[in-house]
Amino acid sequence: MNTYITGAAIRALRESKGLTQAKLGECIGVSSKTISKWETSRGLPDISLLQPLARALGVSLIELMNGENIANRNISCNILRSRLYVCPICGNVIHAAGEAMISCCGVTLPALEAEEPDEDHLLTIENVEDEHFLTVHHPMTKEHYISFLAFVTSDRFQLVKLYPEGNPETRMQLRGHGIVFLYCNRHGLMKRRI
């Protein structure tokens, strides 16, 4: 992780659970004075205590490190509100149907913000039988390429991974209205509503 737990986070999570410092200390096998030191930033919990601390506070390790509960208020899970994440280290592509706290390779990933494609990332869509043929007019070199194309509707998420020196094109079943995403390794995420 690129952050470590703070005293303010421990206190906020403890208070939200209605626990005293003594009760929390009892749950993880430390004294109330130790909890007080952590909360006043005069010490930090040992890494071996993070998982038991998270369990006692009723949160995930990620929530403990972040300092707040992650509540997905998107109960209906409208996939059109999808969030995409790309790891800058390994290139992993992660899709979430709503707000999420995502990490990969020890780095907390921000949700990508999509922009409209520019003339250097022109996307064409043509009908071919019962599918659509998507092409991005973009060079595909080892240094600069389109990493993936995705299509999102209210009930589906399709993703096609592309590779350097390949063709930036694919076929997809485009049913109804939705959003086509493309990701350039240098210029980021772009989208086009169809």
Side-chain angles (χ1 to χ4, degrees):
M1 299 298 298
N2 60 351
T3 60
Y4 200 76
I5 187 167
T6 65
I10 295 171
R11 182 157 96 228
L13 292 168
R14 177 183 59 77
E15 289 174 350
S16 73
K17 278 296 268 192
L19 296 172
T20 64
Q21 289 178 342
K23 184 64 179 169
L24 179 58
E26 183 181 308
C27 290
I28 62 172
V30 299
S31 70
S32 61
K33 287 183 179 182
T34 300
I35 301 293
S36 177
K37 283 182 183 179
W38 296 346
E39 290 183 358
T40 57
S41 299
R42 291 179 293 147
L44 292 171
D46 184 77
I47 196 161
S48 65
L49 292 173
L50 292 184
Q51 193 63 46
L53 181 60
R55 200 173 308 119
L57 293 170
V59 296
S60 70
L61 192 54
I62 296 295
E63 289 169 310
L64 178 63
M65 302 294 270
N66 190 43
E68 60 186 46
N69 291 332
I70 298 170
N72 188 352
R73 293 171 191 84
N74 186 10
I75 305 301
S76 65
C77 251
N78 182 349
I79 291 182
L80 285 172
R81 295 185 185 140
S82 289
R83 305 285 190 268
L84 293 167
Y85 304 81
V86 175
C87 178
I89 298 169
C90 70
N92 193 7
V93 179
I94 302 165
H95 167 253
E99 301 253 350
M101 180 71 134
I102 304 289
S103 67
C104 187
C105 297
V107 177
T108 301
L109 304 176
L112 298 175
E113 294 289 327
E115 299 177 1
E116 293 296 319
D118 56 23
E119 56 276 350
D120 294 330
H121 299 88
L122 187 62
L123 173 69
T124 59
I125 302 170
E126 57 185 279
N127 293 335
V128 177
E129 299 169 359
D130 65 337
E131 297 178 313
H132 289 76
F133 189 67
L134 284 72
T135 305
V136 182
H137 300 282
H138 189 279
M140 294 288 282
T141 66
K142 287 183 180 181
E143 296 79 30
H144 191 189
Y145 57 90
I146 302 299
S147 178
F148 66 84
L149 289 167
F151 181 61
V152 182
T153 64
S154 61
D155 67 345
R156 289 176 201 272
F157 177 81
Q158 301 174 64
L159 184 133
V160 175
K161 180 76 174 115
L162 303 173
Y163 296 94
E165 301 183 302
N167 292 325
E169 58 192 25
T170 190
R171 284 184 178 214
M172 286 188 181
Q173 290 187 340
L174 304 185
R175 294 188 208 151
H177 297 286
I179 303 169
V180 175
F181 289 99
L182 63 99
Y183 181 78
C184 173
N185 73 320
R186 286 199 181 164
H187 298 98
L189 190 66
M190 297 173 204
K191 69 179 179 181
R192 177 175 155 193
R193 291 189 180 275
I194 59 168

